[in-house]
Amino acid sequence: MRYLPLWIIGIYVIVRAAAEPFVIDVTDPATYRHDWGGPHLLGVLGVHCVPGIVAAALMVRFVLRHRRSVTQ
């Protein structure tokens, strides 16, 4: 229960990372020019998607470690 706020934030960041490529028009720089990481598409996707990838990896690692410790 003590990790619940971190899980909520992690899920939010993952959903945001998954939605970002669909929210912006990757063919039109005007849609992401003023976003964080702009004006380049790679910077915008990096700023918005990399935290989600990191959060997903940490959450999978936590679940695997926790499951391994429970079974031993």
Side-chain angles (χ1 to χ4, degrees):
M1 210 54 177
R2 67 182 185 195
Y3 294 114
L4 184 61
L6 293 175
W7 279 90
I8 292 171
I9 293 169
I11 291 170
Y12 168 77
V13 172
I14 291 168
V15 169
R16 181 177 175 171
E20 186 65 23
F22 301 103
V23 173
I24 61 173
D25 182 5
V26 295
T27 62
D28 183 13
T31 61
Y32 55 81
R33 180 175 294 132
H34 299 292
D35 287 352
W36 286 3
H40 304 289
L41 178 61
L42 188 59
V44 171
L45 292 178
V47 167
H48 292 277
C49 295
V50 170
I53 295 168
V54 171
L58 290 174
M59 292 168 85
V60 167
R61 180 179 175 203
F62 177 83
V63 168
L64 292 176
R65 278 188 165 189
H66 182 70
R67 187 172 20 169
R68 191 177 326 145
S69 69
V70 170
T71 59
Q72 291 180 350

